[in-house]
Amino acid sequence: NIVIVHGLSGAGKSTFAYRYIYEHASAMAYEIRNCNLKNVNDVLLSLSAIANGLRIPAMFYFDVNPSNPEWIEAISVLAGRKDVRCLVTMRQEDWNIQYPRICTAFNYEDVTLELHREEAERIYNRLLGRDVDIRRSFEVVWEEAEQSGNLLEFIYSLTHGETLENRIEFQINCESEKSKHLLGYIGTVNYFGGCINLNGLLQLLDFSTVEVSSLIDKLQYEFFRIEDNVFKDIHPIRTKFIVKALFGNKFLFLKNTA
């Protein structure tokens, strides 16, 4: 009875949630803001008790504030209840950081919002029919979206008119110097077809093991993935943009570093 939607900032998660609530929620739908354990548990239990008495399923929507894990404990008391539905939206970065606690609190399975060309073209033409200001051709947008096959990234690209390269550059610029340092090694090695594992990364970085572990938890799935203890790219095109954002035009001369 709990669904969590996580992804890039600005990708349309909240819009996705509001649209679902508008079209499918019962008469008792509530958005919980500024989750604070001092009072939210009592509010949730009171509202769910009212819904149960009226025999109307209650819907609770949480748009998780950055770096706030209190929502996990708040809705864990509602897990498994048939009279309650919980919808949660959160940034990919917060999902990565809070993932261990989420796994402990809930039994869940992943449902990937995959996107195929036929569906993407229908969405594109539908938006054009609604006079949405789309300044890029379908072929250009699809060429980028095909790299990830992600529905939310495709919608973001359409509605924001922003290229994947520009978005990755913006994300990189928002990261700390230590994050950039770590991404520089992983991205460069992957871009030139190399291979690096955790031990190799620790030898290259002048960070503590705890710091490296924390950075990995924060950055993986957004900038890289880990498979058999080896750092892999999500897609070669994304890795190229990551390296270019980190090193500018100098990235073409980084083969010796790799």
Side-chain angles (χ1 to χ4, degrees):
N1 66 331
I2 299 171
V3 173
I4 302 173
V5 180
H6 58 91
L8 300 175
S9 297
K13 301 180 295 297
S14 299
T15 302
F16 183 84
Y18 285 132
R19 181 65 180 269
Y20 176 83
I21 293 169
Y22 176 77
E23 294 185 351
H24 300 286
S26 68
M28 294 192 66
Y30 305 91
E31 180 175 4
I32 309 298
R33 292 179 175 271
N34 302 319
C35 187
N36 186 322
L37 287 179
K38 292 180 179 179
N39 53 35
V40 75
N41 279 344
D42 290 339
V43 172
L44 290 175
L45 291 174
S46 296
L47 292 174
S48 61
I50 293 172
N52 185 48
L54 296 174
R55 297 184 179 179
I56 300 175
M59 167 74 77
F60 298 116
Y61 170 49
F62 294 78
D63 189 12
V64 176
N65 291 327
S67 305
N68 180 6
E70 292 192 338
W71 66 273
I72 300 174
E73 187 173 343
I75 67 173
S76 63
V77 298
L78 303 176
R81 291 186 51 164
K82 296 181 179 180
D83 57 334
V84 174
R85 304 287 184 270
C86 294
L87 180 59
V88 181
T89 54
M90 61 191 305
R91 302 180 309 163
Q92 186 64 41
E93 179 179 325
D94 289 311
W95 168 266
N96 295 342
I97 294 172
Q98 298 173 22
Y99 179 76
R101 291 186 62 179
I102 294 171
C103 289
T104 302
F106 310 111
N107 294 319
Y108 78 96
E109 60 179 297
D110 287 316
V111 178
T112 304
L113 295 180
E114 295 180 345
L115 183 67
H116 303 287
R117 181 186 176 94
E118 294 77 12
E119 183 182 9
E121 198 160 10
R122 286 198 301 270
I123 293 172
Y124 183 89
N125 291 329
R126 191 173 300 169
L127 291 175
L128 283 180
R130 296 177 180 175
D131 295 326
V132 176
D133 185 17
I134 300 175
R135 301 179 182 180
R136 309 170 70 207
S137 70
F138 172 76
E139 294 299 333
V140 170
V141 178
W142 174 246
E143 185 178 356
E144 293 179 358
E146 192 176 17
Q147 312 307 331
S148 65
N150 186 287
L151 173 62
L152 294 179
E153 286 196 24
F154 176 71
I155 298 298
Y156 180 93
S157 181
L158 283 181
T159 55
H160 288 69
E162 183 181 21
T163 65
L164 179 62
E165 181 174 3
N166 289 342
R167 184 166 73 249
I168 288 175
E169 182 179 8
F170 175 79
Q171 289 177 283
I172 292 292
N173 289 337
C174 292
E175 292 296 337
S176 68
E177 289 304 314
K178 287 190 174 183
S179 293
K180 292 177 183 178
H181 200 172
L182 181 145
L183 288 173
Y185 282 118
I186 296 175
T188 304
V189 170
N190 281 326
Y191 181 72
F192 290 107
C195 180
I196 187 169
N197 59 20
L198 179 58
N199 289 333
L201 190 64
L202 288 170
Q203 292 176 24
L204 292 169
L205 294 170
D206 187 24
F207 307 158
S208 70
T209 303
V210 173
E211 283 182 303
V212 174
S213 178
S214 177
L215 289 173
I216 290 171
D217 288 343
K218 174 185 175 184
L219 299 171
Q220 70 171 324
Y221 307 118
E222 190 82 28
F223 298 104
F224 57 81
R225 59 192 173 90
I226 300 175
E227 186 177 307
D228 297 328
N229 201 36
V230 174
F231 294 93
K232 301 286 186 78
D233 55 19
I234 294 175
H235 191 279
I237 296 296
R238 294 178 69 93
T239 298
K240 176 182 177 180
F241 292 156
I242 290 169
V243 174
K244 190 173 180 181
L246 288 166
F247 301 107
N249 292 329
K250 295 179 182 179
F251 84 101
L252 295 173
F253 305 100
L254 292 173
K255 194 167 185 178
N256 290 335
T257 302

